[in-house]
Amino acid sequence: MSRRRYALIGAGHRAHMYVDALTGPYAETAELVAICEPNPVRAAYHADRVHAATGASPAVYGPDDVETMIRTERVDRVIICARDDLHAPLIVRSLDAGADAVVEKPLTIDAPSAAAIEDAIDRTGRDVVITFNYRYSPRNSALRELIQRGEIGRVTSVDFSWMLDTKHGADYFRRWHREKEHSGGLLVHKASHHFDLVNWWIRSEPRRVFASGGLRFYGAENAAAHRADSDLFGLDIRQDAVLGALYGEAAAHDGYRRDRDVFSEGITIEDNLALVVDYASGATLSYSLNAHAPWEGYRVAVNGTEGRAELEVVERGAVLPDEGLHPVLDPSATDAGSSGSLRAEGERLLVQRHWEAAREVEIPDAGGGHGGGDRLLLADVFEGPGDDPLGRPADWRDGVRSIAVGIAGNRSLETGQAVRVAELGIRLLADAPDATAGRTATAGTPAP
């Protein structure tokens, strides 16, 4: 059987997962034939890894040569791990050149670029897969299954709080993510994961968004308050072999610094965010994101007409000063180990129906990055997707519905007003009926 031919566009840290998959468990059915990356150090790093694992050497191209790469290397599918604001033009160019696309979240960062992707898909008929690995995490799948089988009845509201700690959260303020023009801010770059979970859990679509937030901890204006402990927010990439290889010497070629000061000038994203989102089903989401918490994890409660489900996840119980400059940055992607604090790492899903005592729902132990989600996601990307009663595989439509909340939220932050997603200028959203004007529906009805 011939192997599907892949090209990697963007050879930073996140590309590791895909290179490992293509040169490891999926090497018999897929091959990485090309890498498109403007920085020669990063391109060579991943090309060398492919050669060491397979003996093959992928061709290396620059970003101006996407179309040439796809045609010359007979690429079937591109995997896009580039900066968020580059996703849309790379998707459009790839589809027009004859390749399907696998895209790291978020799909893109604003409404005009989402509309451009929509037009390209209509024009070419090609496929775009968005990699929402959190759907595959057993704890999140267990909550979806519980709601889907009707244990709490019709969903009326969702309370969702996400805490990024001062190690992982700070990292978004060191990198290009700190510039909203490149990332869309945390409402798009990070929270698109969370909004997709809600959309998927309750099987409905966002219709209206009101947001509040600001930069209240990081940034130059808040530096004085952290003068005594500012060293605790530093990152020395020389202490990590992968970060050093990808971003140390590479900086001499493009000037990109992976380890900027989180209390410096130029940060244009928020670190505290709160949203209220109305859904087509009639349900309401209350969401908050804090990027400087002392622990990392999330709490979600889903209220229904017949009861309530609660999921609590602690991914790192504490960030301690004696850990040095580089413990695990993202405890959801890699096991950070136990912090030894009273807030023990772990997860618990409870359901309590009206007139009954609460009971715990067993969560299967999958292991691996993002609560076991990465491994299951990769199987669907490279082998499937197959039939899934939970509907975990995601396409570009799911990507649009997830970023719609963040895009509308950013507009709400600018205007101080609630924003209807139908007014964003994306056909997928504008063509859908608007339930916020009084239409009633049942949460649990699949989104169109």
Side-chain angles (χ1 to χ4, degrees), residues 236-259:
D236 186 350
I237 62 174
R238 297 171 299 180
Q239 294 189 23
D240 183 272
V242 175
L243 291 181
L246 287 171
Y247 304 105
E249 180 186 339
H253 293 274
D254 57 17
Y256 172 61
R257 285 191 57 199
R258 174 64 178 76
D259 54 353

Side-chain angles (χ1 to χ4, degrees), residues 106-111 113-114 117 132 187-189 192 195-196 199 398-409 424 426 429:
L107 180 68
T108 186
I109 67 168
D110 56 31
S113 61
I117 293 171
F132 283 129
L187 278 184
V188 173
H189 175 80
S192 61
F195 302 140
D196 174 69
N199 297 349
D398 301 297
V400 169
R401 293 177 184 123
S402 67
I403 60 174
V405 182
I407 292 170
L424 295 178
I426 305 170
L429 304 172

Side-chain angles (χ1 to χ4, degrees), residues 60-359:
V60 175
Y61 291 81
D64 293 337
D65 300 320
V66 169
E67 293 82 359
T68 300
M69 175 187 71
I70 289 172
R71 291 166 185 148
T72 302
E73 307 301 332
R74 296 177 287 112
V75 173
D76 298 308
R77 237 177 173 191
V78 299
I79 300 173
I80 297 175
C81 298
R83 202 176 64 199
D84 294 354
D85 60 310
L86 302 176
H87 285 186
L90 290 169
I91 293 169
V92 171
R93 292 172 63 191
S94 297
L95 299 185
D96 283 336
D100 295 327
V102 176
V103 188
E104 272 289 300
K105 63 83 190 164
L107 180 68
T108 186
I109 67 168
D110 56 31
S113 61
I117 293 171
E118 191 172 41
D119 290 342
I121 291 170
D122 288 347
R123 182 171 62 248
T124 65
R126 304 211 69 89
D127 186 39
V128 177
V129 171
I130 185 85
T131 56
F132 283 129
N133 46 12
Y134 270 117
R135 288 187 179 198
Y136 292 83
S137 176
R139 58 204 181 211
N140 297 326
S141 295
L143 178 56
R144 157 80 180 217
E145 187 174 16
L146 183 155
I147 297 169
Q148 185 169 298
R149 63 175 177 255
E151 286 212 32
I152 60 171
R154 175 173 56 83
V155 174
T156 59
S157 64
V158 180
D159 296 313
F160 197 171
S161 298
W162 200 286
M163 283 65 67
L164 293 168
D165 64 30
T166 49
K167 189 62 65 173
H168 185 199
D171 209 39
Y172 294 104
F173 298 82
R174 299 186 182 104
R175 304 178 277 168
W176 54 263
H177 306 74
R178 67 195 237 149
E179 297 146 359
K180 189 172 283 192
E181 64 179 313
H182 293 144
S183 68
L186 291 179
L187 278 184
V188 173
H189 175 80
K190 182 63 179 176
S192 61
H193 257 321
H194 313 155
F195 302 140
D196 174 69
L197 282 176
V198 177
N199 297 349
W200 175 66
W201 279 328
I202 72 174
R203 291 190 291 178
S204 188
E205 291 188 343
R207 288 291 179 266
R208 184 173 57 190
V209 180
F210 178 78
S212 179
L215 184 64
R216 297 166 181 166
F217 186 85
Y218 302 107
E221 291 187 3
N222 301 308
H226 307 288
R227 190 170 294 128
D229 55 2
S230 60
D231 287 348
L232 297 176
F233 291 90
L235 174 69
D236 186 350
I237 62 174
R238 297 171 299 180
Q239 294 189 23
D240 183 272
V242 175
L243 291 181
L246 287 171
Y247 304 105
E249 180 186 339
H253 293 274
D254 57 17
Y256 172 61
R257 285 191 57 199
R258 174 64 178 76
D259 54 353
R260 283 181 282 181
D261 180 2
V262 300
F263 298 112
S264 61
E265 299 283 353
I267 297 175
T268 57
I269 67 172
E270 300 80 17
D271 53 26
N272 280 255
L273 290 154
L275 278 77
V276 175
V277 184
D278 293 328
Y279 274 81
S281 64
T284 300
L285 165 66
S286 299
Y287 172 82
S288 65
L289 174 65
N290 182 287
H292 57 88
W295 66 280
E296 178 135 340
Y298 58 100
R299 291 171 171 159
V300 58
V302 185
N303 299 298
T305 55
E306 298 180 28
R308 174 180 170 102
E310 300 174 354
L311 174 63
E312 177 169 283
V313 177
V314 179
E315 293 174 334
R316 180 159 47 206
V319 176
L320 305 176
D322 59 357
E323 291 178 315
L325 293 179
H326 186 70
V328 173
L329 289 174
D330 181 356
S332 69
T334 307
D335 184 9
S338 174
S339 65
S341 71
L342 289 176
R343 194 184 303 278
E345 287 79 7
E347 55 195 16
R348 186 172 73 163
L349 176 59
L350 297 179
V351 61
Q352 185 167 8
R353 291 172 54 81
H354 291 155
W355 331 121
E356 296 179 8
R359 60 182 175 81

Side-chain angles (χ1 to χ4, degrees), residues 22-44:
L22 287 164
T23 59
Y26 304 102
E28 292 186 2
T29 58
E31 58 181 327
L32 183 58
V33 299
I35 295 174
C36 180
E37 164 62 46
N39 191 293
V41 173
R42 285 194 282 276

